[in-house]
């Protein structure tokens, strides 16, 4: 991957857990795809949601992501991207620090667990007889 200039997010996206990157640099990860973003200089990486942007000379990310990757705003980032699989995507949903993502994900996990308990309780009389 080329080195890209690191920019801050748009004002409406401050605090969101996403990165904006031109499609040329997304390594086949589609829009709204989750990928492992790794800083090649120090080896730190994290899973992020990728969105597009018109500029192909910059990567846009909020403060928290820049801090975890160890890169400063206005600096350059030599990075690599790897698309995560199904389990990585599910892990991203429940571990995301963005409450707009993690709260609905946890509600879904709890709902699934309650549904499984309901099915087991419903089938219990059939199993016991």
């Amino acid at each position: 991957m080329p080195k890209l200039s690191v920019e801050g997010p748009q004002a409406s996206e401050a605090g969101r857990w996403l990165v904006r990157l031109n499609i040329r640099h997304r390594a086949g990860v589609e829009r709204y795809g989750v990928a492992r973003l790794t800083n090649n200089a120090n080896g730190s990486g994290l899973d992020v949601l990728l969105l597009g942007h018109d500029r192909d000379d910059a990567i846009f990310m909020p403060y928290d992501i820049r801090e975890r990757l160890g890169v400063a705003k206005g600096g350059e980032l030599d990075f690599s991207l790897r698309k995560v699989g199904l389990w990585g995507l599910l892990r991203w949903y429940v571990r995301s620090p963005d409450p707009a993502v993690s709260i609905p994900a946890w509600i879904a996990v709890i709902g699934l667990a309650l549904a499984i308990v309901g099915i087991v309780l419903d089938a219990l009389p059939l199993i016991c007889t």
Side-chain angles (χ1 to χ4, degrees), residues 4 8 12 14 17 20 29 33 40-42 46 53 103 107:
L4 297 179
S12 63
W17 204 251
R20 286 197 174 269
V29 179
N40 293 334
N42 61 17
L46 62 147
H53 203 275
I103 291 173
I107 290 171

Side-chain angles (χ1 to χ4, degrees), residues 81-101:
L81 279 177
R82 179 180 50 86
K83 185 175 181 177
V84 299
L86 177 62
W87 293 115
L89 178 64
L90 295 174
R91 185 180 64 234
W92 177 81
Y93 275 112
V94 296
R95 289 186 178 176
S96 177
D98 187 351
V101 174

Side-chain angles (χ1 to χ4, degrees), residues 5-124:
S5 173
V6 176
E7 303 287 337
Q10 299 170 359
S12 63
E13 295 173 348
R16 301 301 306 266
W17 204 251
L18 61 88
V19 170
R20 286 197 174 269
L21 186 61
N22 189 284
I23 194 166
R24 288 185 34 208
H25 305 297
R26 288 205 308 251
V29 179
E30 66 278 351
R31 186 172 185 208
Y32 290 104
V34 176
R36 181 79 178 172
L37 176 64
T38 305
N39 181 348
N40 293 334
N42 61 17
S44 61
L46 62 147
D47 296 339
V48 295
L49 178 73
L50 290 177
L51 291 177
H53 203 275
D54 291 334
R55 287 181 51 193
D56 65 349
D57 64 336
I59 183 169
F60 295 81
M61 60 181 78
Y63 172 80
D64 296 320
I65 293 176
R66 293 192 312 263
E67 184 178 284
R68 287 200 185 177
L69 290 176
V71 64
K73 185 177 176 181
E76 284 192 335
L77 177 63
D78 178 22
F79 66 95
S80 61
L81 279 177
R82 179 180 50 86
K83 185 175 181 177
V84 299
L86 177 62
W87 293 115
L89 178 64
L90 295 174
R91 185 180 64 234
W92 177 81
Y93 275 112
V94 296
R95 289 186 178 176
S96 177
D98 187 351
V101 174
S102 62
I103 291 173
W106 277 109
I107 290 171
V109 167
I110 292 168
L112 178 63
L114 290 173
I116 291 170
V117 168
I119 290 171
V120 168
L121 290 176
D122 189 44
L124 198 59

